[in-house]
Amino acid sequence: MTTRNKTFIILAASTLAVASAGFFTWRNTNFLGPDSFCQNTLTTSQLEEVLGQGRLTQNSPDEGTSDVYDFHCSLQRASILSERQSTLSIDLTPETAAFPFQTRTWKEPSNMSYLVDSFTGAVSETKGWAILPDSCWEKIPMSTGNKSVPVVELNLQGGTSSRSAMAHTLVRVTQHVTETVGCSAQVSTTAPVRLIGPTESSERTDASNACGLTGFRLPAGMLLQGKLRPGTERFTTSGGTTSACDLFLVGGDEITVTFSASQDATIVDTIRRSGTMRDLELAVCRNHEMYLGVSVNDPYADLAGEDSVERLTAAKSEALQSFKAALMQQKNCA
């Protein structure tokens, strides 16, 4: 082989190696890509905390086309190191009443970690919500003149993230929205977000002291006259203003009854605005209003059947009063 041929082979191999390295860098990092996304709210490094390292693509326009303020952003992370593509959707959307505790979207609220000393909100490894302060409600058309309130929601698909990273992202976006519409709240976007999360694992339910509350037990009606019995439970640890307890009952497929409570003023005001008091109540504890609620999931409702709606309504009312009495005693509300 001549010297010229050897030189050509070496140059070709070097060129291929450089090109391969460049392609690898391009596909697995955000090299030469945008530095910020979602109306300049989130930086590349901040998004990598949630989505992981890879090529970031924004799938939605950065600015709305109407005169009405809105915030919608969808981001996708792709990498040749992983077949899975992660997508993070961020939306400003209207919600009503006790949506974090009584809707299909936010089922099993005991599995959420609730923000403390920040916006009113919660996160898990794949989703999060934050209610904008009430000073913002009349400034955003979606909440003007009706019973809903504006909520920032995160939804992560194709992967999971740490709860702290989800919380930081939620706070940054919510703070951006409040500043944009002129109702800014004094919340730090750089300090660690304090979270109150669930118990580490589901625990066996003490039928006489459910949800860790002395004297709280489900009435017979909630157990559908013997069709169901207590199984395990998971509830929010102490230390915050909002908590939830999910009771996983035995006797059917994924049967769950949820109890929730909050002394967070924004949650209480959200419920008052909705005007809906079904399966919930507002009480007073130590001069602060407190929300209390009960809900059942779809498998429970299916098992109960349509012919027992009145009995179920009465049973939920009885259960809510029992929950209220036990919780208020624990909090020394009297």
Side-chain angles (χ1 to χ4, degrees), residues 23-54:
F23 177 75
F24 182 86
T25 301
W26 175 265
R27 288 297 305 273
N28 293 282
T29 70
N30 213 46
F31 180 65
L32 296 180
D35 293 326
S36 63
F37 299 84
C38 302
Q39 301 180 21
N40 297 320
T41 305
L42 301 168
T43 65
T44 297
S45 60
Q46 290 167 348
L47 284 168
E48 286 179 344
E49 293 178 7
V50 175
L51 292 166
Q53 195 174 58

Side-chain angles (χ1 to χ4, degrees), residues 14 38 43 59 72 86 90 95 103 109 114 130 135 143 191 216 286:
S14 299
C38 302
T43 65
N59 299 324
H72 296 284
S86 298
I90 309 172
E95 294 283 7
T103 60
Y114 295 88
S135 59
S143 62
F216 174 46
R286 296 184 175 183

Side-chain angles (χ1 to χ4, degrees), residues 79 98 295 311:
S79 171
S295 63
R311 288 199 302 272

Side-chain angles (χ1 to χ4, degrees), residues 51 60 73 93 121 123 137 219 227 237 242 247 275:
L51 292 166
S60 57
C73 186
T93 187
V123 295
W137 294 357
K227 290 183 181 179
T237 55
T242 301
L247 296 174

Side-chain angles (χ1 to χ4, degrees), residues 60-194:
S60 57
D62 204 46
E63 298 288 348
T65 57
S66 69
D67 294 333
V68 177
Y69 179 76
D70 205 354
F71 191 101
H72 296 284
C73 186
S74 178
L75 296 145
Q76 186 176 73
R77 190 271 301 170
S79 171
I80 60 176
L81 297 178
S82 173
E83 295 181 356
R84 178 177 295 176
Q85 292 184 334
S86 298
T87 300
L88 176 65
S89 298
I90 309 172
D91 298 287
L92 179 63
T93 187
E95 294 283 7
T96 60
F99 76 93
F101 315 109
Q102 297 185 341
T103 60
R104 295 180 180 88
T105 303
W106 305 101
K107 60 183 180 180
E108 295 187 13
S110 70
N111 193 40
M112 303 292 286
S113 292
Y114 295 88
L115 278 61
V116 179
D117 300 326
S118 183
F119 293 107
T120 298
V123 295
S124 69
E125 291 87 354
T126 58
K127 57 187 179 180
W129 58 266
I131 305 174
L132 267 63
D134 59 4
S135 59
C136 303
W137 294 357
E138 304 306 325
K139 293 179 178 290
I140 298 177
M142 70 170 61
S143 62
T144 301
N146 60 32
K147 298 180 179 181
S148 65
V149 298
V151 180
V152 174
E153 298 184 353
L154 308 183
N155 184 25
L156 177 61
Q157 295 180 315
T160 59
S161 174
S162 70
R163 295 187 179 218
S164 61
M166 291 289 283
H168 284 140
T169 300
L170 182 65
V171 168
R172 290 184 188 110
V173 174
T174 306
Q175 181 71 6
H176 168 83
V177 173
T178 62
E179 290 175 350
T180 302
V181 300
C183 55
S184 180
Q186 298 302 313
V187 174
S188 173
T189 59
T190 57
V193 181
R194 185 183 168 206

